[in-house]
Amino acid sequence: MKKTEAGAVARSPLHLTRRHFIGACAIGMVAAALPFNAFAQATSNAPPPALAQAIADHFSATRTMQGAFVQFGPRGDQTGGRFFIERPGKMRFNYDDPSPMRVISDGYNVVVGNSQLKTWNTYPLSKTPLTLLLASKIDLSADMVRSVKVEPELTTIVLGSRTIFGDSTITMMFDSKTYDLRQWTVTDNQGKDTSVVISNVKTNVAFDESVFKIPSDTSARH
């Protein structure tokens, strides 16, 4: 994915853009205590446990979500804000001040913008792990399932597609009893995790279409 510099509001403009883009792909609790190899016993070649499919169906049926988040980056950096999701394909992250960053997906593209500098970076949604999370239905029989792990408290589902976005994966953790989303972590091609804690989550709420509208001045910045 080709990126353009978004202006200096951190040590490196490109690093800031990339960090917030990956952050937009990550909702949930910190995954440091859950190493990737802990999921190795389950693969996409085996049918998923019935509970995992039931959770995926429940999550797919949740058409909209909103709430607060605290994002943890791979270097220990921490930012917060509010998120909005509408399936299929739409998402918005508003970061709290003093961060000027906004991340918006309109169902086709994901843009990372700096509201102070009025600069944007654009990514095709289909080339990011978000395309799996924001799909109309999470189908655990698909080849994109890397692993499924069912425990009494948590059910963990790891999705990825090397043909679409290389070695990046998205890990979702759900409460095994309520089926609520507890974690959504993106692991990039270098094995670095970005995770976010969510709270005050409301589901199946109505959004104005302007929430997911990409500003018209982003077309020249890919």
Side-chain angles (χ1 to χ4, degrees):
M1 292 176 292
K2 188 177 180 181
K3 309 174 183 65
T4 59
E5 294 188 353
V9 292
R11 296 179 182 177
S12 164
L14 183 58
H15 171 70
L16 176 69
T17 298
R18 188 174 292 154
R19 175 166 62 86
H20 283 86
F21 171 67
I22 294 175
C25 299
I27 288 181
M29 298 169 64
V30 180
L34 297 162
F36 185 81
N37 58 14
F39 312 129
Q41 74 275 18
T43 69
S44 59
N45 294 326
L51 176 61
Q53 186 62 65
I55 289 174
D57 292 343
H58 173 79
F59 185 62
S60 298
T62 303
R63 309 312 293 176
T64 61
M65 297 175 62
Q66 70 176 34
F69 71 87
V70 179
Q71 175 184 311
F72 296 88
R75 298 184 179 183
D77 49 303
Q78 180 177 326
T79 52
R82 294 195 61 79
F83 72 90
F84 309 84
I85 292 174
E86 181 175 308
R87 186 176 282 105
K90 296 179 180 180
M91 176 211 68
R92 183 184 184 104
F93 269 38
N94 291 341
Y95 289 81
D96 289 338
D97 294 336
S99 173
M101 304 306 295
R102 299 290 184 268
V103 181
I104 306 171
S105 172
D106 65 353
Y108 304 96
N109 294 298
V110 182
V111 298
V112 182
N114 183 313
S115 61
Q116 290 180 350
L117 300 178
K118 300 186 184 304
T119 54
W120 297 86
N121 287 276
T122 303
Y123 308 82
L125 174 62
S126 62
K127 299 299 182 181
T128 76
L130 280 173
T131 193
L132 302 180
L133 186 76
L134 299 178
S136 292
K137 180 177 176 60
I138 299 176
D139 184 1
L140 298 189
S141 65
D143 292 338
M144 291 184 183
V145 177
R146 297 288 183 85
S147 64
V148 174
K149 182 178 182 181
V150 177
E151 297 178 301
E153 299 299 325
L154 293 173
T155 296
T156 303
I157 301 170
V158 182
L159 304 176
S161 174
R162 288 188 174 87
T163 60
I164 297 178
F165 37 81
D167 290 328
S168 297
T169 60
I170 186 164
T171 300
M172 294 177 287
M173 298 186 69
F174 299 88
D175 188 301
S176 295
K177 298 181 177 65
T178 66
Y179 296 0
D180 292 337
L181 178 66
R182 298 303 187 195
Q183 173 173 316
W184 165 7
T185 298
V186 166
T187 304
D188 66 17
N189 290 329
Q190 297 178 342
K192 296 180 179 179
D193 292 337
T194 299
S195 306
V196 181
V197 175
I198 60 173
S199 60
N200 300 321
V201 176
K202 296 181 180 179
T203 60
N204 298 321
V205 295
F207 296 129
D208 188 270
E209 62 181 17
S210 63
V211 172
F212 308 105
K213 183 178 180 180
I214 293 177
S216 58
D217 60 350
T218 63
S219 59
R221 298 180 176 90
H222 295 282

